[in-house]
Amino acid sequence: MNKVLVLGSTGMLGQAIVNRAKELNFTVKGVARKNTDYSLDVKNDKNLENVIKRYGPNIVINAIAIVNLSMCEENPGLAYIINSRLASVLSCFSRKYNFKFVHISTDHYYSNAGRKKHKESLPLKIMNEYARTKYIAEVFARNNPSALILRTNIVGHRWGYGPLTFSEWAIYAIRNHKPLVLFDDIYTSPIHVNSFSKEMFNLIKEGVTGTLNLASSEVSSKKEFIEGLAKKIDVNLDWTTTGSGKNREPIHANSMGLDVSKAEKILNYKLPTLDETLSCLVQENIFR
């Protein structure tokens, strides 16, 4: 039976990965700072190595990252240690202890291309410390030729662990008529964390290695995302305004659509649409 170790198991994605692993009848353990199977500081290589030696995982999934762009700008050293160096340590451990290393990356690499779908092979545009540290992590992970690196844009719920996710905030703002500016010039390919986790394990089963986009099959603006979400929960957005999100500080990427045709060819089916992603969000919010 496969033994899975999930780093960042209390985060939005980490929770979904743990749940999916259990559905697949894998033995799964989590690593986080607290409230999980192994509570530790991942900056301590020795403690992390001891967990790996003691548990003996076949698959290690790194879902830990500092995703707050301002925090990365203000603490570039810490961002490097968490977002970059950890991937290097895990890449080395994966060779030493013979486990499959899966690294979760980002889509924050592209700008000023509108609704374009970006293939994995396209040149990147590094605009901030977050993107820089995440790309360095990809380079470190690729030192292990058997590693799987997944670029994505995930949405979902964290259920009380830390600040609200974008989706949790959006649903709260829509339902409570909070001030909303709908960005019509910021593009992504959002996929629900549950869908992402399902497809990730399917790709692992197929023995996929290298860098791969795993996201929605459609590119949508932030405005389209909010409008679609509001429609799902039957709220009229007549109090909102439309505007640009390109002048935010720190500098954000603005054209983050991902071409998932490579993943779809491997899986032999289409990945979720925006509408399917929004349906998952609303159902999850209602039934939890």
Side-chain angles (χ1 to χ4, degrees):
M1 180 180 292
N2 280 322
K3 298 173 71 175
V4 180
L5 186 67
V6 181
L7 277 67
S9 57
T10 59
M12 176 178 70
L13 178 57
Q15 291 179 64
I17 292 173
V18 168
N19 290 337
R20 182 59 183 171
K22 290 178 179 177
E23 290 172 1
L24 293 170
N25 293 318
F26 291 166
T27 300
V28 58
K29 299 289 185 182
V31 171
R33 285 172 293 181
K34 57 184 179 180
N35 300 323
T36 191
D37 302 292
Y38 298 111
S39 299
L40 57 88
D41 184 348
V42 295
K43 298 192 296 294
N44 187 314
D45 299 354
K46 191 64 178 177
N47 287 347
L48 180 57
E49 184 173 14
N50 285 339
V51 166
I52 290 170
K53 285 195 296 185
R54 183 163 64 250
Y55 179 52
N58 307 105
I59 303 168
V60 174
I61 301 166
N62 180 26
I64 289 180
I66 298 175
V67 299
N68 184 299
L69 269 62
S70 295
M71 185 180 296
C72 290
E73 295 296 323
E74 295 164 5
N75 301 280
L78 179 62
Y80 169 79
I81 291 171
I82 300 299
N83 290 356
S84 305
R85 185 179 179 276
L86 179 59
S88 176
V89 171
L90 290 170
S91 184
C92 292
F93 286 165
S94 68
R95 292 192 296 271
K96 184 175 181 180
Y97 296 106
N98 193 32
F99 58 77
K100 174 74 173 180
F101 175 37
V102 181
H103 177 72
I104 311 303
S105 190
T106 185
D107 63 347
H108 210 88
Y109 295 139
Y110 314 101
S111 284
N112 303 322
R115 204 181 288 270
K116 180 181 178 67
K117 291 184 176 182
H118 296 86
K119 292 183 179 294
E120 294 87 348
S121 57
L122 287 177
L124 310 185
K125 187 172 184 179
I126 306 299
M127 303 182 67
N128 50 50
E129 283 299 319
Y130 170 69
R132 182 174 295 108
T133 54
K134 292 295 286 184
Y135 178 67
I136 292 171
E138 290 191 10
V139 174
F140 287 151
R142 282 197 294 269
N143 285 330
N144 183 343
S146 67
L148 174 59
I149 301 154
L150 297 174
R151 292 178 180 168
T152 191
N153 183 291
I154 51 172
V155 293
H157 296 76
R158 191 180 281 122
W159 306 117
Y161 288 95
L164 295 178
T165 67
F166 172 72
S167 303
E168 289 170 330
W169 166 83
I171 292 174
Y172 171 80
I174 291 168
R175 284 180 168 157
N176 292 277
H177 285 219
K178 296 297 181 180
L180 278 173
V181 178
L182 310 183
F183 297 149
D184 61 358
D185 55 3
I186 306 296
Y187 296 92
T188 61
S189 300
I191 186 171
H192 192 273
V193 286
N194 292 346
S195 300
F196 177 91
S197 301
K198 172 188 172 185
E199 307 308 345
M200 179 193 69
F201 278 108
N202 287 340
L203 292 168
I204 292 171
K205 183 179 179 181
E206 293 294 330
V208 180
T209 63
T211 303
L212 192 67
N213 293 336
L214 182 58
S216 169
S217 60
E218 297 179 340
V219 178
S220 55
S221 69
K222 292 291 188 180
K223 179 182 180 180
E224 291 165 339
F225 182 92
I226 297 293
E227 287 177 337
L229 195 54
K231 185 177 180 180
K232 291 285 184 185
I233 58 179
D234 197 26
V235 175
N236 190 314
L237 294 176
D238 53 6
W239 79 93
T240 64
T241 59
T242 297
S244 173
K246 288 187 176 181
N247 297 319
R248 294 174 294 169
E249 292 292 338
I251 298 173
H252 288 57
N254 58 54
S255 179
M256 297 169 281
L258 297 176
D259 186 324
V260 296
S261 57
K262 186 176 177 182
E264 289 179 332
K265 184 176 181 180
I266 295 168
L267 295 167
N268 198 31
Y269 52 79
K270 296 290 290 184
L271 286 167
T273 63
L274 174 62
D275 186 71
E276 290 168 331
T277 295
L278 295 174
S279 293
C280 287
L281 276 174
V282 173
Q283 290 169 5
E284 184 182 39
N285 188 263
I286 291 172
F287 294 115
R288 279 294 293 263

